[in-house]
Amino acid sequence: MKRLLKIFFVFFILCGLRINVDAQKSTISTVVIDAGHGGKDPGAVGKYSKEKDIALSVAIKTGNYIKKYLPDVKVVFTRTSDVFIPLYKRAEIANKKDADFFISIHCNANNNTRAYGSETYTMGLHKSDANLGTAMLENAAIMFEEDADQQYGGFNANAPESYIQLTLIQDEYQDESNLLAAYIQDQFKNRVGRRDRGVHQAGFLVLWRTAMPGVLVELGFISNLNEEKFLKSDEGQSFMASAIYRAFKQYKIEFEIENKPKENGVIVIATGLEYRIQFLTERVMVELSDPRFSGLTDLEMYQQDGLYKYTSGHFATFDKAMSTLSAVKAKGFNDAFIVAFSKGKRISVKDARSLETSLK
Ligand SMILES: [Zn+2]
């Protein structure tokens, strides 16, 4: 019997081998937002909320932010209501849509009710028992699946050795997955003020089966009263969703700059140099959906010296930014001006222009 299981396992691994036949993509055009659990599978259960409900709310909010502010990205949800979807089906949905990224949204839980904070996982071998434990909790979802034995080749969600086998194969998307994971954690920490538990690896069945970069976000611990309260609140859910959206946006912009064919011999790639049009500075944070901003595209906010600064557009050259400046002023922002960034950090326009010239 043991031998048979082993044969099954090898078969299971071979079937799951990721084959990348695509030519190098240059844009991020489809993202799958996966709300963990659902229906008969509640996920982790807190004092007065269930993981499946929080995951769904945050997933939908995240997808809606992306739809609204990145209209060139197609958003695919694995579920938009309280229904049960097997893990393999979620990956199937993403693979069929040829998605460029898979983002799975969850809440963590621990017997230690003092544990709290956000963490983001990518596919890989766990380095700690705690990380293995998280994967075990999440993979336990297959216990609700009737044909799990067939679908996962006898994978035992509770056996540590199963996880070592699962992660034996090098994940070709690891770098991209880890990059978005880091951006998400950065947003959680610096923009939402959550405790940053870091980026980790573990063997998640749902990520293993997706043929694209993917992350599994643990928003926080539903088993911690304070965190549960935050995650259950509409405001908390909006904050977490907008954080994931901004991280995704940063990833997309950088990915597309890096994979962009050279334009007139200008290599924007190495420096991540870009110009934006800054049209507003505020002492308090304003939502990007503020009605005043309607008509402006490609909005972004960054913090500097305790102020919130709002920009529109991303331009590879100063001239391109200049040609759009008057249009922004015409929307009622007469004081709008051009700012420059290198790899996401603000630099002087003078430095940016000389950098731009030196690259020509
Ligand atoms: Zn979960």
Side-chain angles (χ1 to χ4, degrees), residues 37 51 106-107 138:
H37 315 275
E51 178 186 357
H106 293 257
C107 299
E138 297 298 358

Side-chain angles (χ1 to χ4, degrees), residues 35-37 41-44 51-52 55 104-108 134 137-139 141 204 216-218:
H37 315 275
D41 171 15
E51 178 186 357
K52 65 173 183 177
S104 192
I105 297 175
H106 293 257
C107 299
N108 218 331
T134 303
L137 266 183
E138 297 298 358
N139 291 337
F204 293 90
L216 188 143
V217 179
E218 296 284 0

